[in-house]
Amino acid sequence: QFRGKVNKGMGNTIKNEPEMFFSYNNGICATAEDVKTTSSNTGLLKVKNLQIVNGGQTTASIFTALQKEKADLSNVYVQVKLSVIEASQVEKIVPRISEYSNTQNKVNAADFFSNHPFHLRMEEFSRRLWAPSPEGSIQETRWFYERARGQYANQQANITKAAQKKFLSQNPRCQMFTKTDLAKYYLSMDEAPHEVSLGAQKAFSGTPRTQGWVGRVTKLWGKTGHDINEIWFKRTIAKAILFKELDKLVYRMPWYGGYKANVVTYTLAKFANPVREAGLYVDYLAIWEKQKLPEPVEALLSDIAEEVNEVICNPPEGMTTNIGEWAKKEPCWDKVRDKVVVDLSNDVRESLIDYEESREREKVGSRTQEIQDTIHAQTYIVEKGASYWQQLRDWNSLNRKLIPREISILNIACSLPRKIPNDKQSVALLKAEVRAKSEGFYVSD
C-alpha cells in the first residue's frame, strides 16, 4: 500500500523519477544459503533459499507500482546486499540482520516470531471460528488475529466498498488483536502485571529477568502443540473481553486520573490471584458464549480497580516517584497482592469452575486438536499428490537427509492414491518435509 510516508515517496520516485530510484533507495538486504556465480564473479547463476530480509517495502512498492499504476520499470534499479549464510546459522543470524539493517520503518521484536507454528494456528482459528452473536444482535463476528503487521489493513486493500463493508461487519476493528495484545491478555491473567507494565515489546519477548510471553508460549506449545487448540483460543478471547471491557470501565470511573494500562493489568492479576488460591478457574467458555462479562464479575473488577489505583498511584517512600516506573517493579505487584482484599461472593463464584471441570475441558481440546492435526496431515499429503512426494524422494536420494523410517513412509506417499500413509505416518512425513525444506528442498508451484 502507498499509505505510509516512505511508501508514498518510493511510489512517486518510480512514477516521476525512475532513473533516480537507485540513488534515493536504501536497497534490499537479502540472504541465501549458497550462490553460484559466473567464472568472473560478476554475475549470479544460481541462488539457494533466497530471502529478502530487509526491503519488503521496496519490493512491495515496485510490485504495486507495476500492478496498479502500470509504471514503466525499465529504468528502475535496486542495489542488493546478499549475505551467504550456512543453513545451521540461518535462524540465529537472519533475525539479527533484519533488526540491525532496518532503517526505514521501526521493526519490533514481535515481528521476528511471526512464523512460529503457534501464530499460524492462532491465525487459522481466528479466520475460521465465529464468535456467538451478543445479545440483541444477529451478526456473528470473528476475532481477527494479526499474526504479521498490516494483515488487517491488507485484507481490505484491494476489495470493493461493499466487500470492505462486509469484512468490517464480520471482523470489527474492536475485535482485531496483535501478538503484543495477546501477551497483555495472557500475562495479566497469569498474575504478571509488572511484566505487562514493562511495555508491549518487553512483555512479549521478556527480559534477562522475566520470561515474557515468548518463553511461556514456547513451553506451552511443547513437542506437539496439542494444548493450543480451539478451546484454548476461545479462552484467550475471553481474556481479551475481560481486558477490553475493564479498559472501558476504568476510563469511565470518577476516580480515574491516568495510568489506565497499569490499573487494568494489575486489576485482572489481582482478580486472578484469589481465584487461583481458592483452587478455582474462571469460566472462560461462558464469557466466550456471551461475548461479555457477567455482571457480578464486572462489579467486582470495578471495586478492585479503585483500590489498585490507590496502591499504584502512591509508591512507598524510598521508591521512585515515577508511577509508571513503580508499576514495572515486582514490589508493586507484591503490595497490590497484599493490600487489596478481594471477596469472591457467591454471585461471582457462579462464574468460576473447579479444577476437574477445567482439566476435562483441556483434555477434550487437546484430543480434538490431535485428531485435527492428523486429518490435516493426511489431507495435505493426498492434495500434494504422488509426483510431489516422488520429487522429495529424488531430492533425498542426492542429499540423504531423511531417516529410514521417513523414507519408508515417503515410499507409501509416492504410491498415491493406491496407498495412503496412516494418521501417525502422515504427521511424521510432514515433519520430515519441514526438515527437508530447511535443508533446501524446493518445488515451484
Side-chain angles (χ1 to χ4, degrees), residues 1-37:
Q1 302 174 55
F2 283 140
R3 291 182 186 175
K5 183 179 179 181
V6 172
N7 299 55
K8 285 181 179 178
M10 284 193 281
N12 290 334
T13 302
I14 293 170
K15 186 177 180 181
N16 302 317
E17 300 178 277
E19 70 283 354
M20 297 304 296
F21 194 84
F22 181 88
S23 300
Y24 294 161
N25 188 262
N26 288 340
I28 291 172
C29 177
T31 63
E33 289 183 19
D34 191 25
V35 296
K36 186 176 181 182
T37 63

Side-chain angles (χ1 to χ4, degrees), residues 148-166:
R149 279 193 302 165
Q151 280 185 322
Y152 189 76
N154 290 339
Q155 289 272 341
Q156 307 168 56
N158 297 307
I159 58 178
T160 64
K161 289 283 186 182
Q164 186 181 47
K165 184 177 179 181
K166 180 180 179 182

